[in-house]
Amino acid sequence: MYRAKLYDPEAHSYRIRYAIATILRDRITNEGAFRVCFEMLDEEEVIRGILFRGLKSSRLRKALERSHLIDLTHWLLRFPDLAEAYYSSSVEQ
């Protein structure tokens, strides 16, 4: 992925995709680039986008739950509406 695009203020969907790809790999090849995904002015939107996609993708959801790169509990505390969906679907499984 083209890392310079991470700094584009309008490229929040690109930051979401980059962060998801890194979380799925569960390793950081460029820690600065991964951090940039969450340091721009749209951090809330990026995190919400990742969590929302995690509800649709079981592979991503498992990666989020097991990842040492992020703190899923902290993220879910920031978004109670998504936290409810995460907890209710984990009870069903």
Side-chain angles (χ1 to χ4, degrees):
M1 296 185 115
Y2 185 61
R3 291 187 187 120
K5 192 169 181 179
L6 293 172
Y7 294 96
D8 180 356
E10 302 299 318
H12 65 270
S13 63
Y14 187 81
R15 284 188 286 280
I16 292 169
R17 288 193 314 270
Y18 184 88
I20 287 172
T22 303
I23 292 166
L24 287 172
R25 280 192 313 266
D26 200 33
R27 64 182 170 80
I28 295 180
T29 55
N30 185 336
E31 185 175 354
F34 184 70
R35 281 196 320 240
V36 165
C37 294
F38 308 104
E39 292 175 348
M40 301 299 283
L41 296 175
D42 61 352
E43 173 192 17
E44 299 285 318
E45 189 174 343
V46 170
I47 293 173
R48 179 177 281 283
I50 293 169
L51 291 173
F52 186 73
R53 290 186 188 185
L55 289 173
K56 295 180 176 185
S57 166
S58 61
R59 179 174 171 232
L60 176 57
R61 183 179 174 141
K62 287 178 188 175
L64 287 168
E65 292 171 352
R66 297 176 180 163
S67 180
H68 68 282
L69 304 174
I70 60 134
D71 183 355
L72 181 60
T73 304
H74 179 71
W75 281 12
L76 291 174
L77 286 173
R78 294 167 73 177
F79 301 100
D81 58 325
L82 293 175
E84 185 176 329
Y86 266 80
Y87 293 127
S88 65
S89 63
S90 67
V91 170
E92 294 171 3
Q93 295 175 354

